[in-house]
Amino acid sequence: MSTKPRVVIVGGGFGGCAAAKGLKDAPVEVLMLDKTNHYVFQPLLYQVATAALAPTEITYPIRTILRKQKNATVWLAEVTGVDVNAKTLSTTEGKTIPYDYLILACGARHSYFGRDDWEPLAPGLKTLGDALEMRQRFLMAFEEAEKCDDPALQQAWLTFVIVGGGPTGCELAGVLPEIAKKALSPDFRRVDLHKTRILLIENSPCILNTFPEDLAQQAQKDLKRLGVEVRNGVKVTDIRPEGVTLSSGEEIAARTVFWAAGNKAAPVGGSLGVPTDRAGRVIVERDLSIPGHPEVFVIGDMAQAALRDSSGELIPEKLVPGVAQGAVQGGACAARNVIRRVNHHPTEPFKYQNLGDLAVLGRGAAIGNLPWGKVKGYFAWGVWLFVHVLKLVGYRNRLNVLLEWAYAYLTYQRGARLISNRRR
């Protein structure tokens, strides 16, 4: 039996994989736990949800990612809680897993702000299963509209409401009109898909409020040009199978609602016995460890980490954003700090480096706030395409995605329009 310290990493996403790779040459044994056997490239989940890409094109086996890392083992397991005093994890199978060091990178789920009864009516988009459910509902709406003889009900099937004007909501909203009116319209006989309505509901005064105001306004103009009805400054107060109610009192008849309005951290963080914020994120120390337990690190969407300047000083009221680059950098920092603790050296503070933000809105429409300047239009769209292909895991995935995007651009067609389960 190995006498090396055991580092358990929970979560095989951006942060977890970055942490595991950061420990490649460390004198430790790494155990990666995840409730699925695959890594998902989350920024492209919406493309699976809208039938642009197949699930296999944005996923990769975790075991294959770590295959050449001799000190890493992968287990398929779902962690339900942590006993920080006993240094053990519990799983759904009733197994107890000991650790010397722990890195939690379990991510987040969508938050319905106390209305969990809305989840069956308005699925969110965080996992591959979510994307497939969303694709199912999206495609089935057109099938139901094709069979419908009642004009009002038919229009309700052709009306899609997206709640939340962040990047995910805007990406979904921007691509749906093109699919309905270009890709699917020639295939249907009894329904005019040009009557499809896409409504984007955002409680804030402007969509994409993490971007500079001028870029956010440009994004709103682009979405309107693409055929999206943007409603700012209102919120959804009720969701029913027949439609939604807005805070303005407006009733919208819509049989398909998608949720992109909020996140909450994975519940395992609540078992640590340390403070969390309203979204369930663990309030971590400057080195990403938790108070009172320097051997436990929390990263990515599970952590409330404060931004720091180059000298390590706090930047007031600024938090590390819950994006892929934050998770990757946090995973790398946690790995370095594990190595420092093993070697009895002081840990280093986490310093987030913003590499830029991009949001794609549709064909030839995107915005970017990059370190070297602001970009928009086709140039931003091209940058977005290049970055996302580059970041995909596996040469086969990169080639397949490039081919699918080229095919879709030239023909407007979607290659993954499979309906596998008709239940709604």
Side-chain angles (χ1 to χ4, degrees):
M1 188 173 181
S2 175
T3 58
K4 295 179 180 178
R6 171 186 264 191
V7 182
V8 176
I9 301 171
V10 184
F14 287 112
C17 286
K21 291 177 181 178
L23 295 168
K24 180 179 180 180
D25 298 317
V28 298
E29 293 294 332
V30 177
L31 176 61
M32 167 77 78
L33 306 177
D34 197 284
K35 60 184 178 182
T36 68
N37 72 335
H38 53 269
Y39 160 96
V40 178
F41 189 73
Q42 283 192 325
L44 293 183
L45 269 177
Y46 86 97
Q47 298 234 338
V48 174
T50 55
L53 298 175
T56 53
E57 291 167 343
I58 67 163
T59 57
Y60 209 75
I62 298 173
R63 292 184 182 277
T64 304
I65 292 174
L66 300 178
R67 179 168 54 192
K68 295 182 180 179
Q69 188 167 328
K70 299 302 182 182
N71 68 342
T73 302
V74 179
W75 285 0
L76 187 68
E78 182 174 359
V79 173
T80 56
V82 182
D83 186 334
V84 292
N85 295 315
K87 292 188 178 182
T88 60
L89 304 169
S90 55
T91 71
T92 53
E93 300 170 328
K95 191 176 183 64
T96 299
I97 301 172
Y99 64 84
D100 295 298
Y101 297 92
L102 175 64
I103 300 175
L104 290 176
C106 307
R109 290 290 291 165
H110 25 270
S111 170
Y112 292 86
F113 308 109
R115 292 299 306 267
D116 291 345
D117 56 308
W118 288 352
E119 184 167 9
L121 303 172
L125 188 59
K126 286 294 183 183
T127 68
L128 193 59
D130 295 336
L132 294 175
E133 174 67 18
M134 196 172 282
R135 183 182 73 180
Q136 192 84 0
R137 296 191 184 207
F138 173 62
L139 295 175
M140 278 300 299
F142 297 113
E143 298 293 339
E144 295 294 340
E146 175 81 348
K147 297 183 294 183
C148 192
D149 295 319
D150 180 352
L153 181 56
Q154 186 181 73
Q155 186 58 60
W157 280 113
L158 292 179
T159 301
F160 300 85
V161 174
I162 300 167
V163 185
T168 299
C170 290
E171 287 166 350
L172 279 171
V175 76
L176 293 185
E178 178 185 306
I179 298 171
K181 299 172 185 179
K182 295 288 187 179
L184 300 181
S185 183
D187 297 346
F188 287 78
R189 299 289 179 265
R190 299 185 69 246
V191 60
D192 181 6
L193 297 195
H194 289 87
K195 295 180 180 179
T196 300
R197 292 180 69 199
I198 312 296
L199 294 97
L200 180 64
I201 313 299
E202 170 54 42
N203 188 33
S204 301
C206 190
I207 61 172
L208 296 171
N209 53 28
T210 59
F211 283 79
E213 184 177 352
D214 57 335
L215 288 180
Q217 290 177 352
Q218 179 62 49
Q220 185 149 326
K221 291 178 183 178
D222 286 339
L223 286 174
K224 289 182 178 179
R225 175 179 56 82
L226 292 167
V228 179
E229 300 176 39
V230 181
R231 306 290 177 85
N232 293 323
V234 294
K235 63 181 179 180
V236 172
T237 58
D238 191 31
I239 300 177
R240 306 172 308 282
E242 298 80 19
V244 302
T245 303
L246 304 184
S247 57
S248 61
E250 182 181 2
E251 300 276 349
I252 300 172
R255 290 303 178 102
T256 309
V257 182
F258 296 141
W259 188 265
N263 299 316
K264 60 181 178 182
V268 69
S271 67
L272 296 173
V274 296
T276 59
D277 65 10
R278 289 187 299 174
R281 295 175 299 185
V282 177
I283 301 174
V284 296
E285 302 283 10
R286 57 187 294 170
D287 62 356
L288 300 179
S289 66
I290 67 172
H293 291 276
E295 74 282 357
V296 179
F297 298 86
V298 182
I299 62 175
D301 289 342
M302 285 190 69
Q304 189 206 81
L307 283 175
R308 297 177 182 274
D309 60 23
S310 57
S311 65
E313 294 300 316
L314 284 173
I315 302 176
E317 299 180 358
K318 293 288 187 178
L319 299 176
V320 176
V323 295
Q325 55 182 313
V328 170
Q329 293 177 34
C333 179
R336 291 193 298 270
N337 282 335
V338 166
I339 296 171
R340 286 175 172 270
R341 291 207 183 280
V342 169
N343 293 325
H344 306 290
H345 294 157
T347 56
E348 63 180 47
F350 175 48
K351 298 176 185 176
Y352 172 69
Q353 180 183 6
N354 189 348
L355 303 177
D357 298 305
L358 290 162
V360 66
L361 309 164
R363 175 181 294 248
I367 59 171
N369 185 29
L370 305 174
W372 40 269
K374 301 174 184 177
V375 292
K376 59 185 179 180
Y378 265 97
F379 182 74
W381 188 58
V383 173
W384 183 92
L385 293 175
F386 174 77
V387 168
H388 284 72
V389 169
L390 186 67
K391 295 295 184 180
L392 279 168
V393 177
Y395 292 107
R396 181 175 178 274
N397 282 358
R398 293 172 190 164
L399 179 60
N400 285 345
V401 168
L402 275 175
L403 291 174
E404 287 289 353
W405 282 349
Y407 174 75
Y409 184 80
L410 295 173
T411 68
Y412 286 96
Q413 294 302 306
R414 299 272 155 163
R417 287 164 46 185
L418 177 66
I419 297 175
S420 58
N421 184 351
R422 292 182 59 188
R423 292 181 300 170
R424 285 184 61 89

